Amino acid sequence: MRKMQVKKNDMPIKDILSNFIKQNKITPGYYNAKVQQIWEAKMGPSVNKHTRSVILSKDQLYIKVDSAPLKNEFMLSKDKIIALLNKELGSEIIKKIFIN
């Protein structure tokens, strides 16, 4: 009877999943879902109440809100929002934001 040789893999599961996502071209849908989760977690209930949609398409984020003051606040804070979301995503995914 032959012994099976066990190979060690020192790669963290996060890297394995990241490679799998890139190799199987799951990235756009994955990042869109991830951005929506991050948005809900980081922006809080009062912002989420007025957010109608958050959609990532390629490197552009489209945010639709139903509050004029909130829309104005987002327009003034685009760079901060991009930095926050990209930090949470772990990569420079978002380049531009459009607020509607």
Side-chain angles (χ1 to χ4, degrees):
M1 190 183 266
R2 292 179 8 186
K3 285 187 176 181
M4 290 184 65
Q5 193 173 18
V6 179
K7 294 182 180 179
K8 285 190 173 186
N9 187 350
D10 295 325
M11 186 181 256
I13 190 75
K14 179 180 176 180
D15 294 340
I16 293 169
L17 288 174
S18 180
N19 288 340
F20 175 79
I21 288 168
K22 287 176 185 172
Q23 289 173 357
N24 292 293
K25 301 194 188 313
I26 300 172
T27 308
Y30 169 79
Y31 281 122
N32 189 37
K34 189 76 174 161
V35 164
Q36 291 175 9
Q37 288 176 344
I38 293 167
W39 184 267
E40 289 178 15
K42 294 293 180 181
M43 294 301 167
S46 59
V47 171
N48 287 324
K49 182 175 138 184
H50 294 287
T51 303
R52 294 296 153 235
S53 65
V54 178
I55 299 169
L56 180 65
S57 179
K58 298 184 183 180
D59 61 354
Q60 299 175 353
L61 184 65
Y62 297 88
I63 303 168
K64 187 171 185 176
V65 294
D66 64 3
S67 166
L70 187 59
K71 181 179 178 180
N72 188 45
E73 185 69 30
F74 286 163
M75 295 293 258
L76 297 172
S77 304
K78 284 182 177 183
D79 292 336
K80 288 182 183 179
I81 295 169
I82 290 171
L84 171 74
L85 295 174
N86 281 337
K87 180 181 176 192
E88 291 295 318
L89 289 169
S91 184
E92 297 296 315
I93 304 296
I94 302 168
K95 306 284 187 219
K96 211 170 194 184
I97 292 184
F98 297 94
I99 313 291
N100 186 0

